């Protein structure tokens, strides 16, 4: 099991969550989804699918390729040997779980008659920006980015899974992808805690204020790009349903 290197978080997670929530609550697309607008829900599932799918691959590319030297210089050889084994396993576990989460996204879409794997849908430029930003070679930026995605997934899920007009559009009455991210029953550290811990471990500074400023800026950028993508999805993909 992954053991956190730092006992206390360098970020005030409540503050980050509030900022994340503000963007989600102010999004016309997400609000329309919460109100049960089927065209908006369809747009959400189609529009963000390329990122959900690519996010799994971004984590996969990190497995076995975490840089060793910065950690040896900071923590020493023996500690890093244990740390590195646990870190790689933690990232591998993230990849496996994100893979299953991608399947849950597909399954939710299928409930609404959307086959994300078979049908061809446009990949919007703002979603491509999200994807490109998730492939950074800088481990501080990369793990900060993973943390930003976790904040978004948790807050989006908490909002929509508690919106009856949204969940009732699914024949099962549930959004299973959202439920997977809305649960906080973790054995050991959560993905969010591991992401922030790794970002901090790779940061060249040991000053909590400097590290927190860097991580906070990366997370805010992630949230900003998500908000822009939601706006473009709403403007481009939401089509009024035909009345039969």
């Amino acid at each position: 099991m992954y053991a956190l290197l730092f006992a206390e978080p360098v970020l005030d997670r409540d503050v980050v969550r509030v900022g994340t929530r503000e963007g989600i609550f102010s999004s016309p697309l997400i609000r329309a989804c919460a109100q049960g607008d089927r065209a908006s829900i369809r747009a959400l599932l189609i529009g963000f699918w390329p990122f959900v799918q690519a996010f799994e691959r971004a984590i996969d590319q990190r497995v076995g390729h975490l840089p060793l030297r910065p950690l040896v210089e900071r923590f020493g050889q023996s500690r890093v040997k244990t740390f590195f084994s646990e870190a790689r396993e933690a990232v591998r576990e993230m990849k496996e779980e994100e893979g299953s989460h991608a399947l849950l996204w597909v399954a939710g879409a299928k409930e609404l008659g959307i086959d994300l794997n078979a049908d061809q849908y446009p990949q919007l430029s703002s979603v491509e920006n999200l994807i490109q930003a998730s492939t950074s070679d800088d481990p501080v930026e990369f793990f900060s980015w993973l943390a930003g995605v976790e904040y978004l997934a948790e807050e989006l899920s908490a909002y929509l899974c508690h919106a009856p007009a949204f969940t009732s559009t699914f024949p099962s009455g549930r959004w299973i992808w959202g439920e997977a991210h809305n649960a906080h029953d973790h054995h050991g550290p959560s993905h969010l805690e591991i992401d922030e811990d790794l970002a901090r471990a790779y940061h060249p500074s040991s000053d909590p204020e400097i590290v927190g400023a860097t991580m906070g800026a990366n997370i805010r950028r992630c949230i900003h790009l998500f908000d822009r993508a939601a706006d473009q999805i709403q403007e481009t993909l939401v089509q009024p349903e035909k009345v039969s």
Side-chain angles (χ1 to χ4, degrees):
M1 180 183 296
Y2 182 87
L4 294 174
L5 287 166
F6 302 96
E8 299 295 332
V10 73
L11 293 174
D12 187 329
R13 293 184 182 130
D14 289 337
V15 172
V16 179
R17 288 189 187 282
V18 168
T20 308
R21 210 170 293 146
E22 287 175 350
I24 288 171
F25 288 4
S26 64
S27 166
L29 174 71
I30 308 304
R31 286 204 314 270
C33 288
Q35 294 164 4
D37 181 72
R38 294 182 69 88
S40 297
I41 296 170
R42 180 181 177 87
L44 173 79
L45 296 173
I46 292 172
F48 278 115
W49 167 239
F51 177 64
V52 172
Q53 188 177 42
F55 190 64
E56 173 192 352
R57 291 196 297 268
I59 296 175
D60 190 28
Q61 290 171 357
R62 279 291 172 188
V63 175
H65 295 91
L66 294 172
L68 180 61
R69 183 183 296 275
L71 300 182
V72 171
E73 292 176 349
R74 182 169 189 179
F75 299 106
Q77 185 72 44
S78 79
R79 189 177 184 190
V80 165
K81 183 177 180 181
T82 300
F83 166 83
F84 222 64
S85 174
E86 293 174 347
R88 282 176 171 156
E89 183 59 32
V91 176
R92 184 179 293 107
E93 181 180 302
M94 287 182 205
K95 185 266 176 184
E96 292 173 354
E97 291 196 17
E98 290 304 329
S100 65
H101 290 169
L103 293 177
L104 294 181
W105 188 278
V106 170
K110 281 189 174 180
E111 283 198 58
L112 302 182
I114 306 167
D115 191 340
L116 294 171
N117 289 325
D119 298 330
Q120 297 296 317
Y121 296 105
Q123 182 167 305
L124 303 181
S125 59
S126 57
V127 176
E128 177 61 30
N129 289 339
L130 267 175
I131 294 171
Q132 290 299 320
S134 70
T135 60
S136 173
D137 291 330
D138 176 359
V140 177
E141 183 176 353
F142 177 75
F143 286 112
S144 298
W145 191 265
L146 294 193
V149 174
E150 287 295 328
Y151 279 112
L152 284 164
E154 290 180 7
E155 294 305 319
L156 178 67
S157 299
Y159 181 38
L160 292 181
C161 285
H162 290 88
F166 173 79
T167 56
S168 65
T169 63
F170 296 89
S172 65
R174 305 164 56 203
W175 188 32
I176 52 178
W177 182 91
E179 289 179 3
H181 287 88
N182 201 21
H184 296 285
D185 182 20
H186 296 282
H187 299 289
S190 69
H191 284 185
L192 176 59
E193 291 170 324
I194 293 171
D195 293 335
E196 291 185 353
D197 197 54
L198 286 168
R200 186 174 180 182
Y202 277 107
H203 200 290
S205 175
S206 59
D207 185 326
E209 291 190 8
I210 294 174
V211 178
T214 302
M215 291 169 56
N218 289 332
I219 291 170
R220 285 192 298 273
R221 179 168 176 260
C222 176
I223 294 167
H224 174 66
L225 289 179
F226 173 87
D227 293 343
R228 289 179 59 185
D231 287 343
Q232 189 181 27
I233 289 169
Q234 196 269 342
E235 294 166 0
T236 306
L237 299 183
V238 176
Q239 300 294 331
E241 293 190 1
K242 295 180 180 180
V243 179
S244 57

